[in-house]
Amino acid sequence: MKITIGSFILQQLHAAKVAHIYGVPGDYNLALLEMIEHDPQVNFIGNCNELNAAYAADGYARLNGIGALIVTYGVGDLAALSGIAGAYAESAAVICIAGSPPLHAMKSHALLHHTLADGNFDNVMNCFKQFTVAQALITPENAATEIPRLITCAWQQKKPVYLQLPADLCDVEIDVPDKLSQPRLPSSDKNNLELAATALLTRINQSKQPVILVDQMVERYQLQQLVIEVAQKFAIPLANMPTAKCVLPENTPGWQGGYNGDLSRPELFALMAESDCVLSFGVRLVDSTTGYFSQQFATSAVVDIQPYSLKLENIAYPAVTAADLLQTLLDKAKNTLPTTLTPLPHSEYKLATPDNSLLEHANFWQRMNRFIQPDDVLVVENGTSGAAIGAMRMPEGVTVVNQPIWGSIGYTLPALLGAMMASPERRHLLFIGDGSFQLTAQELSTLLRCGQKPIIFLINNGGYTIERYILGESSSYNDISPWNYAKLAAVLNPQVESFCVAVETSQQLELALEQASRQHSLVFIEVKLPAMDTPPAMIAFCNRCNNFNFGLHNPRRSV
């Protein structure tokens, strides 16, 4: 059938269940934005800048499975590049569409604005090749094949892709198949699958102390239920990397907690060290998620399960999807072992009676642990918030959106916007530090403009606390300007009602939480905490970061 290239892009996005596209208008992308303006199935959400748009698309992808943004060439797509790199590091399927100069101008190497004025149109594409799994400059000849290819690559690999759409091609008609195809995951090779499942079953049956360790991959490919069924069938305890917080429900029988090297629970650390069979689901041993490489388990014990392959005892089994592998393993294991798995006991603690004493991290996060409800979405910034949430036991159905590997501060406020639009039926809580907030604060105005109603906790501890603990506790480079955070919502959108308050005592916090639960508007609670008060886990992490980064020339040695 005949269809314009712009309409075909929107059709393909809709087939992938993308209903919201984030971005910033620019002259090269206006033709496509005009199409979206009149498309009832896709909504454009204008952001305050392109980096925020990339973060929002990432947050949307975390809850929806795939997200998209539209920017303009050069000044726009390069401004979004850090957000695209973050989506790559954290395995979020994001489609970055850049409206580019007209195709005839690119082919003739014209000297244009938003370029380096040297006639080179390869440099931006070369940048994106380093941070995406697929790229294409759309032409009338390749549009029918390249547009579905890019979307399918993002869907299959859970990574970002990059598409350049020349400004003069949006209304060009092309021939495409009559039947609309949705992106699908590849299937397994039947013979390889049989061999892999048999080998895995043998390895599990021969092991004396197996353990399951999961990373982001399990959530991205929706393997949670299959992993839990395998654990129950073979009575195997489970743990998750910090990057997979709440991927496994934390009341699951056999769940042993989060594994972070020797910063883990001592019992879990010992369990991993003694295991002779570690079923590793996409695990990446990164400094920030292993207590700076303090993990301890035998390399020979690792069974490496990836989305489309298995590696076991130095034998690789390609073309085997993890979902097929686990289902075949379950089918082969006819005899169910008597389960010995029990839920991890909850820590018992009693909340102190609210009074006029100043808040500290310990009592604030204890109260948050009671405030968080089943099925909440927690968007958690790196730093004190990330350290605290990582150590807390979460109720059933909670989803955590964070960025512990790429670690770009300010990510969470725009990501909250995307997450809320992907799952509007759920309650969303944002925990963000004052330093992080100042990087992307203007996106609060977009949340208000779009009628979003999250509960935002701004942790105000007077600057970059995580950096103060790494180096420069009293150095000026870790200071930031003091803002009146609780009044920002009224400044950024005076036409929208919101509930904003600053608290610094447990009694004030209790009153604010009670009022927040009754609101039908955006809630913004500024929580004032001491500058060097922080969860213990963060202090341990920062000390290791200091030693790793600076070594023998550590500036602390001269203090």
Side-chain angles (χ1 to χ4, degrees), residues 211 237-239 252 254-258 265 267-268 271 341-342 344:
V211 64
L238 315 91
T252 301
W255 179 73
Q256 301 297 312
R265 290 191 315 115
E267 297 85 355
L268 173 56
L271 176 68
L341 302 177
T342 57
L344 196 66

Side-chain angles (χ1 to χ4, degrees), residues 27 49 52 136 140 172 182 212 249 274 279 347 441 461 553-554:
D27 59 332
N49 60 54
N52 288 359
V172 171
Q182 295 183 338
I212 290 172
E274 296 164 7
L279 301 180
S347 300
N461 46 18
H553 300 284
N554 193 334

Side-chain angles (χ1 to χ4, degrees), residues 309-326:
S309 67
L310 167 72
K311 188 173 182 181
L312 190 159
E313 296 173 350
N314 292 321
I315 299 176
Y317 300 84
V320 173
T321 73
D324 289 344
L325 176 64
L326 296 183

Side-chain angles (χ1 to χ4, degrees), residues 195-213:
L195 292 172
T198 300
L200 182 56
L201 178 62
T202 301
R203 178 62 184 271
I204 292 172
N205 286 336
Q206 290 176 347
S207 63
K208 296 179 180 179
Q209 196 166 330
V211 64
I212 290 172
L213 183 60

Side-chain angles (χ1 to χ4, degrees), residues 228-291:
I228 291 171
E229 288 180 23
V230 167
Q232 292 175 341
K233 191 137 195 170
F234 295 97
I236 303 175
L238 315 91
N240 59 269
M241 297 296 291
T243 35
K245 175 70 175 174
C246 289
V247 166
L248 301 173
E250 298 188 349
N251 60 355
T252 301
W255 179 73
Q256 301 297 312
Y259 185 72
N260 190 9
D262 63 8
L263 298 180
S264 316
R265 290 191 315 115
E267 297 85 355
L268 173 56
F269 183 71
L271 176 68
M272 293 295 301
E274 296 164 7
S275 175
D276 60 344
C277 178
V278 178
L279 301 180
S280 168
F281 287 85
V283 172
R284 292 179 291 174
L285 301 174
V286 181
D287 56 358
S288 58
T289 65
T290 59

Side-chain angles (χ1 to χ4, degrees), residues 145-182:
T145 55
E146 286 293 83
I147 292 166
R149 180 183 74 86
L150 261 63
I151 294 175
T152 298
C153 282
W155 179 257
Q156 291 181 346
Q157 299 186 49
K158 311 303 179 187
K159 301 285 187 184
V161 297
Y162 176 64
L163 182 156
Q164 287 182 349
L165 176 65
D168 57 342
L169 297 190
C170 198
D171 293 310
V172 171
E173 279 195 340
I174 56 172
D175 282 310
V176 299
D178 292 338
K179 188 177 180 180
L180 186 65
S181 61
Q182 295 183 338

Side-chain angles (χ1 to χ4, degrees), residues 318-348:
V320 173
T321 73
D324 289 344
L325 176 64
L326 296 183
Q327 187 58 63
T328 306
L329 176 67
L330 290 166
D331 294 341
K332 284 179 172 292
K334 297 178 181 178
N335 298 321
T336 303
L337 293 175
T339 183
T340 57
L341 302 177
T342 57
L344 196 66
H346 281 270
S347 300
E348 297 295 332

